Structure formats: structure tokens, C-alpha cells
Amino acid sequence: MPRYHLTTFGCQMNAHDSERMRGLLASLGYDESPDRDAADLIVFNTCTIRGSADDRFMGNLGEARRIKRERPDVVVAVGGCWAQSQKDDVFQDFPFVDIAFGPGEVNRLGELLARERIQAVGAFTFDGRFSGDLPSLRERAHQAWVQISVGCNCVCSYCIVPAVRGRESSRPWQAVVEEVQAQAADGVVEVTLLGQNVNSYGRDLPAGDRRSFAELLMAVAEVPGIERVRYTSPHPKDIREDVISVHRDVPEVCRHIHLPAQSGSSRVLKAMRRTYDRTRYLDLVGRIRDAIPDIALTTDLIVGFPGETAEDFADTLSLVREAGYDGAYTFVYSPRPGTEAGERMDDDVAPEVKSERIGELITVVQDTARERLSRHVGTVQDVLVEGPSRTDPDRLSGRTTHNVTVNFTGDAPAGHITPVLVERSTSTTLAGHRHGCRSPRGPPDRAPAGAGPLRAHRKREERDRARPRPGDGGRGDRGGPLPALPGTRDRGRRSPDDGSRGDSVSPGRGSLPR
């Protein structure tokens, strides 16, 4: 039986596409090999959002060249955004590559492999088809990525995504809900909805089939068996009141929003073509926190954008403190070919200044996150168990509704939501023990007043009573009722004894570029 080795670079959308490639290859009779040297097919799913992604991929591609030299029958396939960006030169510059395909052609991988002669075979169209329609081999049985859109219509001056993933195209909402239903029947309890700009979802669909992103969130949350719903990545300009209300009122939708700012300087944001300024962004943060005081906000930040001054950078530092992020992905700007910034702006911030600024930014982000996460110490958090901790196999690891990793002692199967008494926090993680178990440092714990599971269930019951149901008069972003979604049903309020402690988890990859 032929064997393949697949290496994935980049964001959650690439992780999703790689799961689909695995499912497709399995359906074609391939087994996965943990060792690249033993594979008959070497596949790379690439990223090109930043120069560092290119560098990492080049190191791996060099190893594939060595293997191809030693075993000429090995097939080397390069997919994803880097392949799309290099479509005119990939076979000339890398003649040992047999197949190259863009992110819009994942579903043609089987067809490309089936050709009688596999040599310099390329596929780079944006045909609107979704890799989400392919079979999948998930990394975790209880978690699933769900593709709701592809491409992007934004024109951020630094971003290569529109060039390599094409114009935005929304997947029909019925197909999304049907996929989630199938995944729930297969044991999935948490789904993460994926798109380059998820909250502009549906605007390109025919009028009769159009649903807002808020309505889609509600429909997915209504699928029996789904305990947590996440999504990535949104654009701040498209987050509306109906989405905020869903976060507040629908218990399955996690209390975490990734809100990419990119900069705290209005001048830099204008140069980036982000379509909002600092004041508008902070107004959105304020509206979200007013509606959901305990919401976790994370972000993306770039330092060293062309023309960034010391004052601009100081604005970014103050934004972190004012917004109060629970975490941030921080990046040093690198020019991308084909982008406005890469082609028309001078990369004029010195490398040593970029290095100094990224170090200072990371320190401020860590300090802010450490303070934010400390609020959980002494509380009982519902944790979706992922499995053994990567740093301590004697502990389990999982995530809260706020998307915070928790390492804890006690027994609980992967895919189950269990209460954990939080005893310690850092800038990135929480630690504790399963509530109701004996603490390693003392007698069986007593939950702090008001922090136990009963209180959590009472809070959830209150949210259920206030929860807007399709057609019940819940207000949308224009102030009107949200229309009913055909094919969904009301599950009603959960019982405290049904094992449903619902919050959410997301595999730990970097955010989609937004």
C-alpha cells in the first residue's frame, strides 16, 4: 500500500485543508507515514503570509529534494498559498516538484495523482469549490474545523491572502449545518467555523439563501451534541450587534473573540487600509465588554510596518493595555510580493528597531495577559479535555470557554467537559485539579463561595431563559427579528445532570490573517 507524508504550515484554514487531504488520500488507498524518508508521496501544505513562513518551508523542501535524488520514484507535491504565489515559477525554480496546486484546488489532488504521467502538474484556479466537501481525518475525534467561506474581499495593504485565495465565496448555510450534524453524529462536541473573514459570511449568497453570520452561529449551536462553537478569523469592521448578542445569549458559542487590531496607531491603520481607526476599534471593544464583561479578547499585532514611528509604536503598546487582551499573536512586518505595501512602500524600519519593538510588545502583552488570566484563580472552570498535557504526561490538558489552556490533575476522558478548580495562572495557561477530586496538596477541595458547578449551571440556565431563538423576536443588527432557519430545532434548556458543561476549545494554531 502506498504511503504519504504531509507537512502543514500556517493557519487554521491550512490545518483544515490538511485534514481533508488526509481523508482524500486515505480514500485513495494511501497510509500515512510518520517518516518522510519512508513515504512514496511527500506533500507540503504551505503558507506565505510572512517571510518566516517561506523560510521554514524552504528548509523542508530542501529535504524533499534530497529524498527525490535518492529515490526518483517519490512524488513531491506542494500545495497551499506559497504554491499559488509561485505558480508561474515553481516548476522552473524547483524542477524536482512533481505537483503544485493552490488552496482552491485541494479537491483536485486525487485527480492530479491519478494522471498517467506525473511531472510538472499544476492547478491554480479559484473555482469556488470547498475542500470542506471532502472526506476528513481529524486530529482529534471530538473537535472539527468547518469551512464556511474561502477567499477575502478586503484590500489590506500588507496582506497577500486575496492574491492566493481569491475573492470571498460563502458556502451555502445548509451545507455547513449538514456537515456539523454529521460531525456531531461522529462524536464531535466542538466545532470551529473557518473563513478569512467569517463575519462577512453570506453576503455573496443568493438573496433567498442568504443568512447572516449570527444566524449561522445560532443554527450550528442548535445541532444536538454540539457543546461549543468557535470561529476564526473575523474583521473588526464587520462585527455587528447581532454577533455580540449571540456571544452573550447562546451558551454554546464561546466567550472568546479574536479581534485583530494589527496596530494601535490610526495613522498606521490607514496606511494598512484596515477601514477603522483606533477610536472605532476601542469603541467596539467597549461595546463587547459592556455586553459580556467576562469575554476573552485576543488579537493580532504587527510591528515595523513601513513608516511606523516611535509614537505609532507607543500607540500600539497603549492599545494593548487599554483593550486588556487575554493574549496576542505578535509579528514583525515582512514585505510580501504582490501586496501594496510590498510593492509601493519602503520597508524603512531598521531590523534592529523591529527586534527591539517586538520584544517590548511581547513583554506588555504578557503582563496584560497575566493580569487578565489571574481573575480565574479560585474559580471552577468548565474544561473541554483534549488529552495528556504536552509538558507533564501525569496531568490532563484542555481549554475553557475563554480558549485558555488548563493543565490539571484528575481523571476525565478526552472530549468530555469537566469542572476544574483553578489554583494557579501564568500569562498563557491555568493550572489546577478536577473539582471534586483530592488536591495533591491537601484534602478534597471545597469550591470557593459562588464558584462551584451549581452556580455555573444556574448561570447557564439564566442564559438559556434569555436566549434568543430563531423567530422569537431576538434582535438582529438592524433591530429586526432574526428569521427562523429551516432545518434547525430548539433543544431546550439543558439539565445540570446531562454532562453538558458547554464551553469551547480551539486547536492551538495561529489565527487566520485578518
Side-chain angles (χ1 to χ4, degrees):
M1 181 173 289
R3 308 183 78 192
Y4 73 92
H5 183 278
L6 172 60
T7 306
T8 305
F9 303 87
C11 66
Q12 294 99 326
M13 188 68 84
N14 272 16
H16 165 273
D17 289 348
S18 288
E19 289 187 347
R20 301 296 170 167
M21 291 183 205
R22 287 188 174 94
L24 178 60
L25 291 170
S27 72
L28 295 175
Y30 282 83
D31 273 347
E32 186 166 10
S33 169
D35 182 5
R36 188 178 289 162
D37 278 281
D40 305 291
L41 168 65
I42 297 173
V43 186
F44 297 102
N45 190 11
T46 62
C47 172
T48 192
I49 193 66
R50 292 175 184 85
S52 57
D54 288 358
D55 294 341
R56 288 193 299 272
F57 167 58
M58 283 296 127
N60 282 265
L61 191 59
E63 184 180 349
R65 180 184 355 224
R66 172 190 61 79
I67 296 172
K68 182 79 170 181
R69 189 183 304 119
E70 296 171 357
R71 294 192 292 128
D73 290 340
V74 170
V75 175
V76 177
V78 178
C81 294
W82 181 89
Q84 186 75 34
S85 71
Q86 301 296 316
K87 62 183 179 181
D88 296 328
D89 303 311
V90 59
F91 296 118
Q92 178 178 336
D93 294 346
F94 306 95
F96 60 93
V97 171
D98 300 296
I99 296 172
F101 58 99
E105 300 278 23
V106 171
N107 50 6
R108 290 190 61 195
L109 178 57
E111 171 193 333
L112 301 177
L113 288 169
R115 296 198 176 194
E116 184 175 346
R117 184 172 180 266
I118 302 177
Q119 185 177 8
V121 178
F124 301 104
T125 68
F126 303 119
D127 61 9
R129 291 182 293 181
F130 295 92
S131 61
D133 296 327
L134 298 173
S136 174
L137 284 180
R138 297 190 301 273
E139 182 179 350
R140 294 191 178 103
H142 61 280
Q143 293 171 313
W145 308 109
V146 180
Q147 188 181 53
I148 69 169
S149 64
V150 295
C152 184
N153 292 346
C154 297
V155 291
C156 300
S157 62
Y158 56 87
C159 188
I160 197 173
V161 166
V164 295
R165 286 195 177 263
R167 298 279 295 173
E168 184 173 319
S169 178
S170 299
R171 194 176 175 197
W173 71 268
Q174 300 98 324
V176 174
V177 173
E178 288 170 2
E179 180 181 343
V180 174
Q181 290 170 338
Q183 290 170 337
D186 195 36
V188 168
V189 297
E190 177 193 277
V191 294
T192 300
L193 308 183
L194 296 178
Q196 264 66 46
N197 183 12
V198 288
N199 50 342
S200 64
Y201 169 82
R203 297 175 191 175
D204 60 312
L205 292 174
D209 296 327
R210 193 172 300 157
R211 296 293 185 272
S212 71
F213 181 57
E215 293 174 286
L216 183 67
L217 284 173
M218 294 173 66
V220 170
E222 288 296 328
V223 173
I226 296 300
E227 299 291 341
R228 292 186 175 183
V229 180
R230 296 189 185 276
Y231 60 86
T232 195
S233 280
H235 194 299
K237 72 180 178 64
D238 291 314
I239 290 188
R240 299 179 177 177
E241 296 302 321
D242 57 351
V243 172
I244 297 173
S245 297
V246 168
H247 274 280
R248 181 193 63 208
D249 298 327
V250 179
E252 291 85 359
V253 177
C254 290
R255 296 211 160 187
H256 167 236
I257 298 177
H258 188 70
L259 199 64
Q262 306 302 356
S263 175
S265 163
S266 292
R267 192 190 67 81
V268 172
L269 289 169
K270 184 176 181 179
M272 289 179 166
R273 297 191 182 275
R274 291 293 289 172
T275 72
Y276 55 83
D277 60 14
R278 176 191 178 96
T279 299
R280 183 179 169 192
Y281 181 90
L282 286 173
D283 176 69
L284 174 60
V285 169
R287 287 187 283 118
I288 292 171
R289 292 210 185 278
D290 285 346
I292 319 152
D294 192 42
I295 194 79
L297 296 180
T298 55
T299 195
D300 295 338
L301 295 166
I302 298 172
V303 302
F305 188 78
E308 182 187 67
T309 65
E311 183 179 356
D312 294 326
F313 177 63
D315 286 343
T316 296
L317 295 180
S318 66
L319 179 77
V320 172
R321 298 185 179 102
E322 192 168 346
Y325 296 119
D326 287 49
Y329 296 102
T330 57
F331 306 98
V332 173
Y333 170 77
S334 60
R336 299 283 76 203
T339 64
E340 179 184 355
E343 302 289 341
R344 302 180 187 176
M345 300 181 188
D346 292 332
D347 186 16
D348 56 1
V349 180
E352 60 270 20
V353 174
K354 290 181 181 180
S355 179
E356 180 181 341
R357 288 178 183 175
I358 194 70
E360 188 174 353
L361 177 60
I362 289 171
T363 297
V364 172
V365 167
Q366 289 177 337
D367 289 345
T368 304
R370 185 178 294 108
E371 180 180 353
R372 286 285 299 165
L373 267 60
S374 68
R375 75 190 188 277
H376 299 303
V377 174
T379 68
V380 173
Q381 295 292 316
D382 288 342
V383 175
L384 178 56
V385 182
E386 295 180 347
S389 168
R390 289 182 298 176
T391 58
D392 182 356
D394 293 330
R395 288 174 170 261
L396 294 176
S397 182
R399 292 180 190 252
T400 69
T401 186
H402 305 98
N403 203 31
V404 180
T405 297
V406 184
N407 297 306
F408 64 98
T409 57
D411 294 327
H416 284 237
I417 295 174
T418 192
V420 173
L421 179 61
V422 178
E423 299 168 309
R424 300 179 303 282
S425 65
T426 69
S427 62
T428 57
T429 62
L430 304 175
H433 64 276
R434 185 174 179 274
H435 184 57
C437 295
R438 183 177 298 275
S439 169
R441 297 180 301 191
D445 62 87
R446 294 180 179 274
L454 181 58
R455 177 174 179 268
H457 285 303
R458 286 173 177 164
K459 285 178 67 178
R460 186 170 295 111
E461 289 172 7
E462 292 168 3
R463 286 162 63 191
D464 275 356
R465 284 194 291 270
R467 176 179 185 166
R469 298 291 179 182
D472 74 352
R475 309 296 287 179
D477 65 301
R478 291 188 174 88
L482 294 174
L485 289 173
T488 63
R489 67 185 183 88
D490 184 347
R491 278 187 285 167
R493 181 172 58 82
R494 296 177 183 172
S495 161
D497 299 321
D498 69 357
S500 308
R501 294 186 169 273
D503 301 294
S504 163
V505 61
S506 172
R509 284 192 172 267
S511 70
L512 289 170
R514 244 319 7 99

